[in-house]
Amino acid sequence: MPALHIAPPATDEDFMRIALQLAQEAALIGEVPVGAVVVKDGVVIGRGSNAPIAGHDPSAHAEIRAMRDAAARLGNYRLTGCTLYVTLEPCAMCAGAIQHARIARLVFGAHDYKTGACGSVIDLMAEEKLNHHTTVESGLLAEECSATLTQFFAERRRQQKAEKPGDN
C-alpha cells in the first residue's frame, strides 16, 4: 500500500499570500487593493476583498467581507478561535467589527499611517476598557502588501493625469 502524502500545515505567510491575491483581484476592478482571509483550524473559511465602490457600500472593506463570509459558513456571528489575515492595517470600523466578532488573532501586512486603528494612528485593540482583546501581529509580507498599494495609487495618478485635457 503506498504511503499517503500529507501536505504540511499552511503557514501565516501562505494565508497572507491568499490575501494578497484577493487584493490583486480588487485592483483589477478598480478597488483599493486590500484582501483578507479568515482561518479556523488551518482552513480558510472566509475571503474578502475591497468592494465599497462596486457595491456602493462604505462598509464593504476586505475584512468585513471576509468575516461575513466566515460567519455565514459557520452559521454564527462569533468567530472565536479564528485568525484574520489582511494586507493592510484595519481602520476603526474594521477593528471594531473584529472585536465584536471575537476574532482571536489578527495578522496584517502593511501599516496604515493615515487611518490604521491597530497601532498606527490609534490602537483600539489595546483599549483596556473593551471586553475582548484580539492578539495583533503586524508586518507580515509588509513590503509586498505596501508595494501592491503603492503601485495601484501610482497607476491611478497616471490615469488621472492622462485624462486631464491640456495638462500633457
Side-chain angles (χ1 to χ4, degrees):
M1 184 176 253
L4 293 174
H5 174 69
I6 298 173
T11 65
D12 285 346
E13 187 174 311
D14 295 330
F15 293 123
M16 186 62 79
R17 291 206 180 281
I18 296 169
L20 272 164
Q21 182 179 24
L22 290 164
Q24 292 293 344
E25 291 172 13
L28 291 173
I29 61 168
E31 297 281 357
V32 174
V34 179
V37 295
V38 177
V39 174
K40 185 173 180 87
D41 300 325
V43 176
V44 174
I45 61 166
R47 297 170 189 260
S49 57
N50 265 4
I53 298 166
H56 309 289
D57 180 357
S59 70
H61 289 195
E63 303 94 308
I64 301 293
R65 295 182 75 214
M67 288 187 291
R68 285 177 180 158
D69 188 28
R73 287 175 198 250
L74 291 179
N76 192 341
Y77 74 103
R78 295 284 194 219
L79 300 174
T80 57
C82 293
T83 299
L84 173 66
Y85 296 85
V86 61
T87 57
L88 181 65
E89 179 180 359
C91 68
M93 174 184 70
C94 293
I98 290 164
Q99 289 173 320
H100 284 288
R102 304 296 194 260
I103 294 282
R105 183 170 166 246
L106 166 68
V107 179
F108 71 84
H111 286 269
D112 185 344
Y113 297 108
K114 293 183 180 180
T115 63
C118 299
S120 291
V121 176
I122 58 173
D123 193 351
L124 291 177
M125 299 302 182
E127 177 53 54
E128 292 179 14
K129 294 176 186 171
L130 297 174
N131 67 338
H132 175 74
H133 295 93
T134 298
T135 301
V136 179
E137 297 173 34
S138 64
L140 181 63
L141 302 179
E143 288 181 20
E144 290 178 54
C145 293
S146 182
T148 300
L149 290 157
T150 300
Q151 291 165 3
F152 174 82
F153 285 113
E155 180 59 28
R156 181 180 272 180
R157 284 189 296 275
R158 276 192 293 275
Q159 288 175 350
Q160 288 172 343
K161 187 175 181 180
E163 290 172 4
K164 285 186 179 180
D167 285 350
N168 295 335

